[in-house]
Amino acid sequence: MTDPAALPERLRLRVVALVSAVLPSISPVPPSLRKVAGFASARRARLGGGAIWAALDDDTFREHAAVQVAAVQASVDDPVDAAARAWLARDDGWEAAVAEVVESLEVDESRDEQSHAEQARLTAQVAALQAELAAVRAEHRAELERAKADHKVLRQRLGEARGVLRAAEEARDAAYAARDEAAAAAETAMRTAEADVRRLRAQLEEAESGLAASRRDARSDRDTASIRARLLLDAVVDAATGLQRELALPPVSGTPGDAIESSLAGVDAAPSSSAPATPALLEQTLVLPRARLIIDGYNVTKQRWPTASLEAQRSRLVAALGPLVARTGAETTVVFDAAESTARTAMPAPRGVRVVFSPEGVIADDVIRQLVAAEPRGRVVVVVSDDQAVARDIVRAGARSVPTPALLGVIGS
């Protein structure tokens, strides 16, 4: 407890004040305090407090000071004074007494700090509120000035509006007068127009009578031409029928590619739809009479659905071809490459679409070449494939080669 840092500031100052009060009565006075002892009582603690506290490190001086302080302060009940006397005298139990007061002072100091902090916060809050109040007052003053200015402007506008209203009323009266004049003029014009309408109706009836006579004459001439054309058509039809009967030609059934498709598929399947270089051109080509469409299946599906399984690719392509075949009526065949597979899956297809798999060891390109070769020259045959060798061969055989993107543009799936 002799260390200055061991005592709170308040207790340390109280020790110095008690010793400074009895300093002249202490004997002997240390040399460092002789000048301080000559000071007035009120100045000793203020001017010589540091020297007095340093001198208390001398136990002899401290004990003499304790005796003098006890003689002067014996009846004082202040806890801080009691702790200060106990620290100077250091009788039995003095440490507990001093520790209790030190703890109490630390609590008081903490409360004081909290009080000071709360006071500072409240002071700042009051200052902020005062500033806010001043700002609100200034804003209110500004709003009042603006309101006064707006009021002045509104009064001016009211006067202007009254003038405009008077002018509008005058214009309204003038418009009413003009309306009455226009109504009278319109009545006169209507009577004149009715007379013109009656005259024009008479002329129209006369013109319709002449037109009816002209139509009767034209219909008579047209009927004569129609009879001549019908007689010529009947003659051609009778000649064709006679030629067919003379040559004993059997009725035509099936298509040139039926035999190849039947041997490859084993089951009937409906075709799909495709498009030439552009979607519009492809549809125009496929609506031609007896148009034939042949598609390299995987060549199309692996561009459109590359991440799907082969089965899903086949199903999507065949389903997407249904609307195209329904629109164009083109005979459609989709060829899937199964050269390295022994399985042949029968799959449903829309009406008008056939699905075939190439035989084991035979690629789809060769099947497409066979189908094209089986068609007669002159028939519209469209092949969808990006294989350049296939394109050259089928063009040489008389078919039309269409790139895959054109078909994808038509089916839109």
Side-chain angles (χ1 to χ4, degrees):
M1 286 295 181
T2 60
D3 186 2
L7 297 180
E9 180 70 16
R10 182 179 172 185
L11 181 56
R12 193 164 52 246
L13 293 176
R14 189 56 185 159
V15 169
V16 171
L18 292 177
V19 174
S20 65
V22 298
L23 183 60
S25 303
I26 300 173
S27 180
V29 176
S32 60
L33 296 180
R34 287 175 184 169
K35 185 176 180 180
V36 176
F39 293 163
S41 176
R43 298 179 60 197
R44 290 182 202 137
R46 181 166 51 84
L47 299 179
I52 293 172
W53 182 259
L56 290 174
D57 287 339
D58 183 356
D59 291 339
T60 302
F61 174 71
R62 178 181 51 75
E63 291 174 357
H64 292 167
V67 172
Q68 296 299 325
V69 168
V72 175
Q73 298 285 334
S75 60
V76 177
D77 295 331
D78 184 83
V80 178
D81 287 349
R85 292 197 307 270
W87 187 86
L88 288 171
R90 304 205 179 173
D91 296 331
D92 293 339
W94 71 274
E95 292 179 338
V98 171
E100 181 179 356
V101 173
V102 167
E103 183 178 357
S104 175
L105 291 176
E106 289 176 350
V107 172
D108 292 342
E109 289 178 357
S110 175
R111 290 175 180 172
D112 291 342
E113 291 176 357
Q114 293 177 357
S115 298
H116 291 325
E118 181 66 15
Q119 182 179 3
R121 185 184 66 79
L122 293 175
T123 301
Q125 186 175 0
V126 169
L129 291 175
Q130 289 176 344
E132 183 178 356
L133 178 60
V136 170
R137 287 177 176 174
E139 183 178 357
H140 286 173
R141 285 194 296 270
E143 289 181 356
L144 180 60
E145 294 299 328
R146 286 196 299 270
K148 290 180 178 179
D150 293 342
H151 180 67
K152 182 178 180 181
V153 171
L154 290 175
R155 289 179 63 85
Q156 293 175 352
R157 290 180 179 176
L158 179 60
E160 295 173 356
R162 287 174 177 171
V164 171
L165 178 60
R166 285 193 296 271
E169 290 175 347
E170 295 174 356
R172 179 200 60 192
D173 295 339
Y176 284 159
R179 180 200 62 186
D180 295 339
E181 293 179 0
E187 182 69 21
T188 303
M190 184 178 67
R191 286 194 294 269
T192 304
E194 287 176 350
D196 292 339
V197 167
R198 287 192 295 270
R199 178 175 54 81
L200 291 174
R201 280 178 178 172
Q203 294 177 357
L204 178 60
E205 291 174 357
E206 182 179 355
E208 287 177 346
S209 299
L211 179 60
S214 299
R215 285 177 176 175
R216 284 193 296 271
D217 296 339
R219 187 181 303 111
S220 177
D221 294 339
R222 188 167 59 251
D223 291 343
T224 302
S226 299
I227 291 172
R228 291 175 180 175
R230 179 59 185 269
L231 289 174
L232 179 60
L233 178 60
D234 290 343
V236 172
V237 171
D238 291 342
T241 304
L243 180 61
Q244 181 181 8
R245 189 166 51 249
E246 183 70 21
L247 297 177
L249 297 176
V252 177
S253 62
T255 63
D258 287 347
I260 298 173
E261 293 170 353
S262 298
S263 64
L264 295 176
V267 293
D268 289 338
S272 156
S273 146
S274 114
T278 65
L281 181 58
L282 177 58
E283 291 221 25
Q284 292 176 6
T285 303
L286 294 179
V287 296
L288 294 175
R290 302 287 292 176
R292 180 86 161 94
L293 176 61
I294 302 172
I295 303 171
D296 185 347
Y298 289 138
N299 192 272
V300 175
T301 61
K302 290 184 178 180
Q303 291 191 36
R304 183 62 184 87
W305 305 285
T307 59
S309 65
L310 294 181
E311 182 179 359
Q313 292 181 19
R314 293 194 298 268
S315 299
R316 290 182 180 180
L317 175 59
V318 171
L321 290 172
L324 178 61
V325 174
R327 290 197 305 271
T328 63
E331 179 186 348
T332 304
T333 301
V334 184
V335 182
F336 290 108
D337 194 332
E340 299 179 359
S341 175
T342 59
R344 299 292 185 273
T345 303
M347 56 183 299
R351 182 182 180 85
V353 180
R354 293 178 180 174
V355 179
V356 297
F357 294 88
S358 65
E360 186 176 358
V362 179
I363 62 175
D365 296 345
D366 292 338
V367 175
I368 292 173
R369 291 185 179 96
Q370 293 177 26
L371 292 172
V372 172
E375 296 295 336
R377 287 277 183 170
R379 185 181 185 186
V380 177
V381 179
V382 177
V383 176
V384 178
S385 176
D386 286 336
D387 191 303
Q388 296 302 315
V390 173
R392 286 193 300 271
D393 293 342
I394 63 102
V395 169
R396 200 177 298 119
R400 305 183 187 189
S401 177
V402 175
T404 297
L407 175 61
L408 293 177
V410 172
I411 63 178
S413 295

